Amino acid sequence: MLRIEQWDESNNYRTLKHSREVFHKALRAVLNGETRFHVTGAAENYDLVYENNNDFMMVGGEHEKRTMFAGEILMPPYYLYDENDASCLRFDILSRYENIIFEKANEYTVVLADLLLRLTDKEVFFMDERAGWFLSGHDRLHLGTEPSDGRSDMRVYEGKVPIDLFSEHGALISIFLFQEVFLLQWLCGDLPLEQIKYAEICVKKTEGIGALLQYGVKCAALFDELGIKTVFRAGTSRYSDEMLRKYFRIETTPEDSDETNTIYIANYMAVVRTFTYIFSRARISYDILNPKFLGEMEEYAEAVIGDRHLLGVLFRGTDYMTTFAGFPPHMPYTPVPLEDMLPVIWQRMEKYHYDGIFLATEDEEALKNLRAAFPGKVFTVAQERHKMADFVQGQTISDLEKEIYRKDEYADRVTDTTINYFYALYVLSKCDGFLASTLCNGVNIVRAFNEGRFECDDIVREMIIRGEL
């Protein structure tokens, strides 16, 4: 992103002429290694200073200590984009807000404000009057003034602030908002839209089966509206292609796919960390499952549940705790300790008179502690579980599996663990009520399979965000 700063007289930089194209001219020079530019011709002379988006994401965090994020591009640089091509631009994240308030003028806020004025009916406010150097006069553009009508608003900041997408007065960071609006354009690249037939996707090899399936479904939801078919690149997950074909219906890249008709979505983390992805309503259905596998799980669920009235509990611990520890409390993925869940579990048990709890977890200590709290009332699927002490900071279960399994047994052990986990998710979906510690791909799968039949359905982290706990 290019920031607007005071003219630095102490050094010589490339000098650009102020115009509507000045950001694009500067970005072309950034590709040659330049990071600061003088600009003349505006009401005042100024400098444009380039900051790498991914560096912004990494500063002040511990992403590099997490194997899931280390070495990844979490935020694309957006050297090339076209604000005049609206075919793939999305403003969904702003749909509930009537006033958009930009705190500071920079490349992204100026471009976004121009788009909002041209393509939406939003009222645009700029606290930084330098935005007037770039934007033409408009009856919905307000410089240096706050809205006074009391309508819902989104305030967009340049620096890092707590994000709020839930209240009537939201808060977002300009880099994040730019990513949401331009996400599809970035994914589609420079191929003409009418020429694109396939979007080939793959996941990180550390990701579990829930993430793999959910990614396919959510990417398909993004691309279907453009008439683009989503396919999975064979041989790119931690699972064998044979295992995926046996249990699931996953369409892989067809023979007629090539660089003239296919876009390649290899940057997994940059996609799944967007709010467009996180809050997508796309859901997995039974269609993703091999019919024989579905029938086997149905028989198992009937045997486990019988005539019991059960509360299903999904608790993510172990590597989830080490990976997402330190995330801000307002984020739906931030972990919740079991001890914080227990009062909610007690309340649900008493209110709905459940006979017992079906627990899905990979955390051995969580299972032990829940059984101690509810003796004789906790049911589970037999599966391999781990302790927090087994992990170093940022290590994932897939990392641990590579250490503890021999090469000749790795594929079979991973398959067993994965299928047992899926059995657990399926049984959860057949329970009468549902409670999860935090948002994860397992939650999405359980809810999709249940189709809204739970008599109670909550995520403890979201209850905390809403101020209910």
Side-chain angles (χ1 to χ4, degrees):
M1 183 183 73
L2 293 161
R3 301 182 187 275
I4 301 169
E5 298 190 3
Q6 287 187 335
W7 181 288
D8 178 11
E9 295 183 352
S10 64
N11 286 290
N12 295 318
Y13 305 102
R14 180 193 294 259
T15 299
L16 303 173
K17 186 175 181 180
H18 178 75
S19 71
R20 295 183 67 87
E21 292 297 310
V22 69
F23 297 130
H24 293 292
K25 291 178 180 178
L27 288 172
R28 285 194 288 272
V30 168
L31 289 172
N32 291 328
E34 299 176 53
T35 57
R36 191 171 185 122
F37 310 89
H38 287 323
V39 184
T40 61
E44 297 177 22
N45 291 338
Y46 62 92
D47 281 1
L48 289 177
V49 180
Y50 177 76
E51 180 181 16
N52 184 280
N53 289 345
N54 210 52
D55 291 343
F56 174 87
M57 292 290 294
M58 294 295 185
V59 169
E62 296 184 341
H63 291 98
E64 289 293 348
K65 296 180 182 178
R66 301 180 172 105
T67 58
M68 182 179 290
F69 304 138
E72 292 289 322
I73 299 297
L74 304 183
M75 183 66 68
Y78 285 99
Y79 298 123
L80 304 173
Y81 60 89
D82 185 358
E83 63 267 45
N84 295 312
D85 178 8
S87 61
C88 291
L89 302 182
R90 303 173 63 95
F91 299 94
D92 309 48
I93 196 170
L94 299 177
S95 60
R96 65 175 296 182
Y97 300 101
E98 298 168 284
N99 297 329
I100 312 301
I101 309 165
F102 295 101
E103 285 286 319
K104 198 166 184 179
N106 60 47
E107 174 199 356
Y108 288 174
T109 57
V110 167
V111 169
L112 290 168
D114 179 62
L115 287 171
L116 291 171
L117 293 170
R118 288 194 287 116
L119 303 177
T120 77
D121 60 357
K122 308 289 185 186
E123 296 287 331
V124 176
F125 296 79
F126 253 107
M127 298 301 99
D128 186 346
E129 296 191 26
R130 294 177 302 175
W133 301 350
F134 302 87
L135 301 171
S136 302
H138 195 290
D139 59 0
R140 286 188 286 109
L141 174 62
H142 314 277
L143 299 177
T145 181
E146 294 270 2
S148 58
D149 53 17
R151 299 194 297 176
S152 61
D153 58 60
M154 169 65 77
R155 191 173 293 269
V156 183
Y157 297 86
E158 184 174 85
K160 291 187 176 180
V161 297
I163 295 168
D164 181 1
L165 301 175
F166 299 96
S167 71
E168 287 299 301
H169 302 286
L172 196 57
I173 301 169
S174 59
I175 286 179
F176 289 1
L177 179 55
F178 192 88
Q179 163 86 337
E180 299 299 322
V181 172
F182 281 89
L183 174 65
L184 265 175
Q185 189 182 101
W186 169 64
L187 293 177
C188 289
D190 57 1
L191 273 182
L193 198 57
E194 64 274 10
Q195 194 173 315
I196 303 173
K197 189 174 181 180
Y198 304 111
E200 183 188 81
I201 63 172
C202 57
V203 301
K204 282 178 65 66
K205 289 184 179 291
T206 54
E207 290 289 46
I209 190 64
L212 186 154
L213 298 176
Q214 196 70 43
Y215 190 57
V217 169
K218 290 192 176 186
C219 283
L222 274 177
F223 289 113
D224 280 354
E225 62 189 67
L226 300 175
I228 299 171
K229 188 173 186 177
T230 301
V231 294
F232 190 78
R233 180 150 56 102
T236 57
S237 77
R238 61 191 282 214
Y239 308 105
S240 70
D241 293 337
E242 180 184 10
M243 177 269 216
L244 293 176
R245 285 192 296 268
K246 180 178 180 180
Y247 294 102
F248 307 101
R249 290 176 171 177
I250 297 175
E251 193 158 358
T252 54
T253 310
E255 290 185 2
D256 68 331
S257 168
D258 59 35
E259 61 185 14
T260 67
N261 63 13
T262 303
I263 55 176
Y264 303 97
I265 317 301
N267 196 329
Y268 173 75
M269 293 308 306
V271 176
V272 299
R273 287 173 57 83
T274 63
F275 297 108
T276 295
Y277 180 89
I278 292 171
F279 296 115
S280 169
R281 295 184 178 181
R283 294 289 183 266
I284 286 174
S285 69
Y286 290 142
D287 293 340
I288 201 74
L289 304 174
N290 179 296
K292 181 181 179 183
F293 181 39
L294 176 60
E296 291 170 350
M297 289 194 297
E298 178 64 28
E299 290 181 9
Y300 183 83
E302 290 179 0
V304 171
I305 296 174
D307 58 359
R308 299 186 185 96
H309 187 222
L310 295 182
L311 172 66
V313 174
L314 175 57
F315 178 79
R316 283 305 319 270
T318 61
D319 66 338
Y320 195 93
M321 291 289 187
T322 62
T323 298
F324 294 101
F327 269 42
H330 59 273
M331 295 298 289
Y333 286 110
T334 302
V336 172
L338 181 66
E339 53 265 30
D340 291 353
M341 287 191 73
L342 287 175
V344 187
I345 296 173
W346 277 110
Q347 189 271 339
R348 294 292 187 271
M349 293 289 286
E350 293 178 0
K351 180 177 179 179
Y352 295 97
H353 308 290
Y354 290 117
D355 300 320
I357 298 165
F358 179 82
L359 174 66
T361 187
E362 82 295 348
D363 193 306
E364 180 181 321
E365 294 170 332
L367 173 58
K368 177 182 176 182
N369 292 336
L370 194 64
R371 279 177 168 165
F374 298 92
K377 292 189 175 184
V378 179
F379 306 89
T380 65
V381 166
Q383 68 179 81
E384 185 163 358
R385 294 185 171 87
H386 306 282
K387 300 177 181 178
M388 283 284 292
D390 296 337
F391 297 84
V392 298
Q393 184 177 9
Q395 189 180 33
T396 65
I397 286 179
S398 65
D399 296 326
L400 187 64
E401 287 171 339
K402 292 172 185 175
E403 294 179 3
I404 63 178
Y405 297 156
R406 298 192 315 270
K407 275 190 175 182
D408 61 341
E409 68 173 351
Y410 179 81
D412 289 341
R413 294 291 293 273
V414 169
T415 296
D416 288 345
T417 300
T418 301
I419 298 309
N420 287 340
Y421 170 68
F422 224 86
Y423 267 83
L425 295 181
Y426 189 82
V427 176
L428 281 177
S429 75
K430 296 298 183 179
C431 291
D432 299 284
F434 180 55
L435 185 67
S437 58
T438 188
L439 183 62
C440 64
N441 288 297
V443 170
N444 295 326
I445 292 173
V446 170
R447 285 176 164 174
F449 286 169
N450 180 264
E451 297 181 327
R453 294 188 298 270
F454 288 128
E455 60 188 355
C456 63
D457 179 358
D458 275 304
I459 299 173
V460 174
R461 172 53 61 190
E462 291 186 354
M463 295 175 71
I464 294 171
I465 292 172
R466 295 194 300 263
E468 298 173 11
L469 295 177

